[in-house]
Every structure is written in C-alpha cells, then in structure tokens.
Amino acid sequence: MTVKNKKERKLTPAKVLAIYLIAFSLVSFHELSRVTAWLEGVCLKSEAAPETLAYCNALRGFVRTLGLDGLVAAEDRVAALARKLPEIGSSGLEQALPEVVAATVPQEKEQKVVQSAGDEQPLPEPPKTQTPQTSEPETDKLPSKPAEPRPIPEKAEEQNPELTPPQASLAPAVAAPSVIKPRRVLIAGDSTILEGFGVALQRELKKHDGISVFREGTYSSGLSRPDYFDWQPYLTGLVKKHRPDLLVISLGANDPQDILDEKRKRHHAMSEGWNAIYADRTRALLAIPGALGIPTIWVGLPVMEKEGYGRKIANINKVVADVCGSLPLCRFVDTWEVLADEAGAYRTYQEDAEGRPVRIRAKDGIHLTEAGGRALTQYFLGAVQPYLQWPWERPETGPAGAGKDSAETGPASISSSVAKMTFFSRARNKATGYFAYLPKAMEKGEVFPVLYLLHGAWDGYTAWQEHADAELRTLAARHRIIIVTPDGDEFGWYVDSPVKPGNEIETFFMKELIPHVEANFPTAPDRRGVTGLSMGGHGAMVLALRNPGVFLSASSMSGILDITKHPEQWHIKDVLGPYEGENRRVWAEHSAFGLASAYPGRLNAISLLASVSLGDQWALPDNRAFHSLLKELGVKHEYHEEEGGHDWAFWTAELPRHAGFHAKALNGPRN
C-alpha cells in the first residue's frame, strides 16, 4: 500500500518578506523609544520645520506612556543578574532574588560594573578606563542661558518688584564671603563634569587671564556606593594636588539607588533614612574643602526625561541644597529648569541664534550635549556673578571680520573689539543674539557704562554691525563705553504684546538682556543709556519712560515717537491690537508722546536727545510734536533737525552725536 507524502510547503519570496516584516514590526515596537529618538534625530539633522519637530517630540512623549522603556530596562537587569554582573542601582528584583544580588556586590573598586541611574533609566556603561577626561573639543557657538542671573538695580522710590529676578537658585550661605576672587579653580564630579557642562565651563573660565582651571572626576561615581568608589579620599587628594581657591562640584546622576548602612540595612532612595545618610555623606565631603577655607559651589542637576528617575534627582538636589545652605563656605546653584521648556518640562532641543533646533540633551535623557553644556555654563556664570569676581578678558569675537581691527577706522579703532553673544530667551521662547562693542585697552578692575543701540523695522541685531561696524568700534574706544546692539524682531516694537504670543520684547529687554550683558561684561552699575533709529528710537524712549530708574539717558534718531498717529502702518496693530475703543489706552501707554504726557515727572530724571531729518515724512511730525511737548513741560532736552531722509546715511551720520551725548551723561557725575 502506497502512502502519498503530504505536499511540501515551499518558502516563497512572499512568505520570506512577510516573516521579515512581522519580525521587523515586533522589534520596532519593542524598541519604539529608540526608533522615535532616531526619527527626531533625522528631523534635527535635516532642519525640519518646527511643526515637524513638535510632532516628533509629542510622539516620543506618547511612546513613553506605553512603558516600553521600563520593559527594556527590566530585561537588561534580568540579563545582568543572569550573567551575575554587579549593578549600581536598585530594583524590585533585589527583593525577589536576594541571593543573586548578594553575589553581585563588587569586592574591588576597580571591578567593572553595569550601571543604572535608579529603576527608571539605565546610564551608559563605564568606559574601559576610569581615568578622568580633560580634553576640550572645539565647538561652535550655540545658545546660552535662559534665565535671569542678576537683578536690575532701580531707584527705591519707583521700584518695580517684577524687575527683580528671584534668588531661589542660590541656597543661603551662613557667613559666606561677600565676593570670591578665584585664581585656581577645581571642577570635579562625575560624567556631568567629564562631559557637557564641565568641558564648557573649563573652556569658558580659561578665557580669563590669571586663572588656572583643573577638571577632574570619575565616571559612574557618586555618594551612594562608596564600596565602588569613595569620593572622600579622592577629593582629599585632588584638593592637595591642585590647591584651589574655589571648588565647583556636581554629583548625583548615579545616586538614585538603595544605600546600605553600616548595619547592612537597606534604605530605598527618597526614604527618610536614605536622605539622612546621603546628607551626612554630602556634609562629610564638603568638610574637606571647608576645613581648608575653600569656597565650594555645588551645581545641581537639571530636569530629567524619566519622571520616576527625575523625582529621585530632584530629591538629591534638595538634600544637597539643604546641607550646602547650612555650611559657611558652600553655595548651591539650582539648574533644574535651566534647560526645560516654558512649562518647566524636559526638552531635547532648543533653537540657536539662527532659529535652528539644536540638541541639548543626550539620547539617554540624562546627560548634556556640548550645546547643553554651554547653555548650562552661561546660566551658571550668571547665577554666581553676584559673589564671584573673575579677571576680565573679552569673549571670542563674532563673525568673520567682526572682531578684527580695521585700519580704515583710524587709530582709535585699534583700542576696541566686538563680541557676538547668543542666549535663549524664555520670554520670547527662542534663541537671540547681540553684538557688544568693547574698549580693548581695559585696566584691571575697570568697568564701563553700557549704551543699548536699537535697530528699526525690517531689521535685526546685525543691522548696526552691517552698516556701522567701524564707527561703532571707534566710538566704543573713544568714549570708553560698551555699545550693545540687541534684537527686537522685525516688527516687535520693543513692547510686550497683548495679542501676539512670543512678542515679549520689553520683558526680554529688562529681565533677560540687561542681566545677561551685566553678567558677561565689566559694566558700571546703574550706568545705562538707550538709543535707536526709527522703530528703535520709539523703543528707546518708551523703554526708558516705562522703566524709571533703569536708564540715565535716552535718545532717538528718526524715532516714531507717537505711534497713535500710525494706526495702520508698520504692523503696529499686529502687536498692540487695533487702535479703537478701550484699546486706544494700550497704544497711549506704549507711545513716547503718551507716556511723556502721562508721566512728566519721569522726564526730568533722564538726559534726553531727539534728532530727525527734514526730509523724513514719517518721523518729522512726531518729533516736532514731542519737542513741543517737552518745551511746554519745561523738560531740559536736546533736539536737532538736519538735512537728509529716513535712511542709513542719516543714521550713521547721527551716530557720533548720540554716542557722545550718552557718554557725557553716563560718564559724568550723578545727579
């Protein structure tokens, strides 16, 4: 009897493709977080539209809610335990498999470990060597700090509390030195110092003459596991080796894990016992520089991507801040929201000065990229500015040619330089920039008044540099002043718009720009002037009148000094809303003419100058009306009408007059 064989099932190309697609789909779903991170990276590299980037970010947020990262992390921990490899960190598996965990406790500090930052997010494995890294790769300029480092001094009789940035970022110090003048700085810590922030801070401090900067640390280290790496003898050796007069330290990324006390009792992260032990270890570590009289600044960690891990890091920040605040030579700098979005949440990227998205956080959601390190560095320098005095050296120069001396400008130009600065504005939710023209031959401890020079409509902060670079360099040197050319948007009108999101130019100017300038340059306290052309002339007068006590002098070149006469021109209504009904009051409150009429007492506290050309059909009527009003009010001021039009030929010709006017007001005796 013959039995027929069953028909063989052939593996056709279609079946192979189907199997491949199924496998690819399963793997992609399993690795969905990495796939979305890769997709976001592609968007960033291709300079995708902001809407596309926002979609990518939202997609990653949705994927995080699926909990796939926790599944992958759990698999990694199980695999590590199965291989009997030690793990820095805690998990529920430690209670389920105590015998395996006990077998994985490292016996030697040199032993390799598999590291994780708590239950939520594994950190990268340590490098093959634990040798501290101190290399400094060259990087491009990227956006800097997004916070207010320094309050704007004001006259007491007209103080506006909204102009004083909060000081919560600095833990109170008991009998701390009022001013620290470091010459030897030691930067120490874990991967936060060996990468990103530490590299950027060392590079920035090295720009100062007379400062020696040392950066040392160890990956995968912290205070939770002295059995793996003990920071107390290590820091003692570093202090003896480098003899610093300032220590900057940052630790904690590896510490959200269980701690075993001297009785081998386990304390879970964030518990009362854990916090007490961690506080004791922090206090003991800080006693090392404290015993030698070395001031210490502990830099807290920024917001983290993983919520659970982030809560543990925030707890570490609080424990350290409390300890640091109780010690006479320690200050804590809170950086939690420095790299966050406007809602205080974690973000992966921010825009640079050209509006391009730049990644500021590493793909692990913990570490910083080089750009993030620079942003954090700029914030740090601003935050410590009130009590640290660095030797001054001008920053790096800007675009090609911007920082070079030009023989065409004459001998005076040899004594000036220009710096291009960028930073992220929270008020405007984007990166912005400015040029700062500086006297070059600066004596030790010398400070300078600042003149803010505003651009007009259709332009940005580069306009003055493009049209009058040589003249500005000459004027900065001749009058011994710093001239700053900030950005006010093409049609920002230097106001906070009630109808246009992101048009918070006045807030940006008063609470972000001025503190940034005064944190980065040797400025004379309370000696500020403001001038500008056209829209910028309007902005100069309005900012000075709306913020009494901030500026000693204000002037306008072809300024639109009564915007109520131009309700349909130059996109003003897009910023303030239509000029009708109750909204007319809003226009008057942002008009130089309206403010002068409403607050005549403020005019006498400011040195005032206005100039306009006889051929200027737009600004001439406004300026004549403003001049007449000041005469009626008995306000002392200068007023000039000259030949010309509403153009750069007139403005560049008027620039020396205005710079000299401000220099006299700012360098002269106070009233």
Side-chain angles (χ1 to χ4, degrees):
M1 182 177 180
T2 303
V3 179
K4 294 183 178 180
N5 293 329
K6 292 183 179 180
K7 185 178 180 181
E8 295 182 0
R9 296 182 178 178
K10 295 181 179 180
L11 197 61
T12 64
K15 292 180 180 179
V16 172
L17 179 60
I19 293 172
Y20 174 80
L21 291 175
I22 292 172
F24 179 80
S25 300
L26 291 174
V27 172
S28 297
F29 183 76
H30 183 268
E31 300 288 333
L32 198 52
S33 291
R34 296 179 184 177
V35 172
T36 52
W38 169 82
L39 178 61
E40 183 186 30
V42 171
C43 292
L44 288 171
K45 291 180 181 179
S46 62
E47 299 185 4
E51 294 80 6
T52 304
L53 289 169
Y55 177 79
C56 290
N57 198 36
L59 181 61
R60 289 195 67 196
F62 169 73
V63 170
R64 286 196 296 271
T65 64
L66 300 178
L68 296 178
D69 283 345
L71 174 63
V72 175
E75 291 175 349
D76 291 341
R77 289 195 291 271
V78 171
L81 292 172
R83 295 194 304 269
K84 295 187 177 182
L85 293 175
E87 178 190 28
I88 294 181
S90 63
S91 73
L93 293 174
E94 294 175 348
Q95 286 72 37
L97 301 172
E99 68 283 356
V100 177
V101 175
T104 63
V105 175
Q107 301 300 316
E108 297 180 0
K109 294 182 176 62
E110 293 76 20
Q111 178 177 356
K112 294 295 183 293
V113 298
V114 178
Q115 172 194 350
S116 73
D119 301 347
E120 320 301 334
Q121 173 70 42
L123 286 166
E125 293 186 3
K128 293 182 179 180
T129 174
Q130 293 290 333
T131 303
Q133 297 184 0
T134 58
S135 60
E136 294 187 69
E138 290 301 319
T139 55
D140 298 326
K141 286 184 176 292
L142 287 168
S144 53
K145 65 177 170 63
E148 309 91 14
R150 178 178 175 186
I152 304 172
E154 298 181 84
K155 291 189 175 180
E157 63 271 20
E158 292 188 286
Q159 185 173 7
N160 182 350
E162 294 184 356
L163 293 180
T164 305
Q167 297 298 306
S169 62
L170 303 179
V174 180
S178 57
V179 178
I180 305 171
K181 300 178 180 180
R183 294 290 175 176
R184 297 176 64 85
V185 180
L186 171 61
I187 307 172
D190 53 19
S191 53
T192 302
I193 295 301
L194 297 178
E195 303 172 2
F197 169 65
V199 177
L201 179 60
Q202 184 181 30
R203 181 185 300 110
E204 193 67 27
L205 294 184
K206 279 190 172 182
K207 295 179 181 178
H208 299 282
D209 287 330
I211 290 186
S212 298
V213 186
F214 313 96
R215 179 169 57 89
E216 300 210 42
T218 298
Y219 282 98
S220 310
S221 65
L223 303 183
S224 289
R225 290 289 299 274
D227 57 323
Y228 165 67
F229 186 88
D230 194 343
W231 259 90
Q232 290 199 40
Y234 179 62
L235 184 60
T236 299
L238 292 181
V239 169
K240 289 182 178 179
K241 175 183 177 182
H242 298 297
R243 307 184 312 280
D245 48 21
L246 174 66
L247 169 64
V248 179
I249 189 169
S250 183
L251 289 168
N254 305 294
D255 285 335
Q257 54 190 289
D258 294 357
I259 291 178
L260 296 178
D261 63 20
E262 66 278 0
K263 297 180 180 180
R264 303 296 294 174
K265 179 181 178 181
R266 184 177 296 277
H267 298 270
H268 299 296
M270 299 180 65
S271 67
E272 184 176 348
W274 190 98
N275 286 353
I277 295 173
Y278 198 87
D280 288 342
R281 293 180 180 179
T282 301
R283 192 174 292 106
L285 187 68
L286 291 171
I288 295 170
L292 299 174
I294 302 172
T296 300
I297 301 176
W298 192 301
V299 183
L301 296 172
V303 63
M304 299 295 172
E305 183 176 28
K306 287 293 183 179
E307 183 179 354
Y309 172 62
R311 285 197 299 269
K312 296 175 183 177
I313 291 296
N315 176 69
I316 290 174
N317 283 343
K318 183 179 185 305
V319 171
V320 174
D322 290 344
V323 172
C324 197
S326 68
L327 300 177
L329 292 175
C330 183
R331 292 181 185 264
F332 181 82
V333 176
D334 183 1
T335 69
W336 186 257
E337 294 190 357
V338 174
L339 302 180
D341 62 17
E342 59 275 12
Y346 176 92
R347 65 176 171 182
T348 306
Y349 59 90
Q350 65 180 202
E351 293 182 347
D352 64 10
E354 284 71 40
R356 297 172 300 187
V358 177
R359 179 177 285 276
I360 57 175
R361 302 301 291 266
K363 292 182 179 180
D364 60 11
I366 298 173
H367 292 91
L368 308 182
T369 64
E370 293 178 357
R374 288 192 296 275
L376 198 62
T377 293
Q378 291 300 320
Y379 173 79
F380 170 82
L381 293 175
V384 302
Q385 192 273 341
Y387 54 86
L388 280 186
Q389 187 176 102
W390 307 102
W392 169 249
E393 182 179 353
R394 66 183 184 277
E396 296 175 4
T397 55
K404 299 178 180 179
D405 297 312
S406 172
E408 297 177 1
T409 62
S413 68
I414 299 176
S415 300
S416 65
S417 63
V418 59
K420 179 182 179 182
M421 307 293 284
T422 60
F423 68 99
F424 187 86
S425 166
R426 282 183 177 238
R428 299 163 70 179
N429 194 30
K430 69 175 184 178
T432 185
Y434 63 85
F435 287 109
Y437 289 82
L438 311 158
K440 189 184 297 184
M442 294 179 285
E443 299 179 1
K444 183 178 179 180
E446 188 176 7
V447 293
F448 304 92
V450 182
L451 174 60
Y452 293 89
L453 178 60
L454 312 185
H455 65 79
W458 289 281
D459 276 326
Y461 77 94
T462 63
W464 277 106
Q465 187 266 340
E466 292 168 358
H467 291 274
D469 178 68
E471 189 67 39
L472 288 170
R473 288 150 54 77
T474 300
L475 293 170
R478 176 186 301 159
H479 297 297
R480 308 297 287 169
I481 60 175
I482 297 174
I483 303 176
V484 173
T485 64
D487 181 71
D489 283 345
E490 289 188 355
F491 300 100
W493 286 94
Y494 300 96
V495 303
D496 286 353
S497 171
V499 297
K500 186 178 180 181
N503 201 115
E504 305 294 321
I505 311 299
E506 182 178 2
T507 295
F508 153 74
F509 202 106
M510 307 309 301
K511 301 181 72 173
E512 296 180 331
L513 174 67
I514 293 178
H516 191 273
V517 170
E518 297 183 357
N520 285 281
F521 299 99
T523 61
D526 302 323
R527 291 187 177 270
R528 311 180 194 92
V530 59
T531 185
L533 66 88
S534 192
M535 181 182 79
H538 147 88
M541 290 295 185
V542 169
L543 288 172
L545 291 173
R546 284 179 58 84
N547 299 275
V550 176
F551 301 98
L552 293 180
S553 54
S555 70
S556 166
M557 292 174 265
S558 308
I560 308 301
L561 300 183
D562 189 358
I563 58 173
T564 66
K565 304 301 182 183
H566 312 276
E568 299 297 327
Q569 292 177 295
W570 311 307
H571 300 277
I572 304 176
K573 68 178 181 181
D574 294 341
V575 176
L576 295 178
Y579 184 62
E580 58 187 32
E582 290 296 321
N583 204 46
R584 292 174 181 262
R585 179 178 56 83
V586 175
W587 282 61
E589 290 173 351
H590 292 87
S591 166
F593 188 91
L595 289 167
S597 301
Y599 306 102
R602 298 180 182 181
L603 296 167
N604 292 316
I606 311 172
S607 297
L608 297 171
L609 163 66
S611 64
V612 66
S613 65
L614 293 170
D616 193 334
Q617 58 178 314
W618 298 286
L620 183 59
D622 286 9
N623 279 259
R624 285 179 171 174
F626 189 71
H627 171 52
S628 297
L629 175 64
L630 296 186
K631 286 200 301 182
E632 291 177 11
L633 295 173
V635 175
K636 183 179 178 181
H637 66 286
E638 284 189 30
Y639 179 73
H640 301 276
E641 293 182 1
E642 305 291 348
E643 295 293 333
H646 195 87
D647 52 36
W648 278 103
F650 176 76
W651 301 322
T652 54
E654 281 294 294
L655 183 57
R657 185 207 301 271
H658 286 254
F661 170 83
H662 286 279
K664 181 179 179 181
L666 300 176
N667 285 316
R670 300 188 185 212
N671 295 330

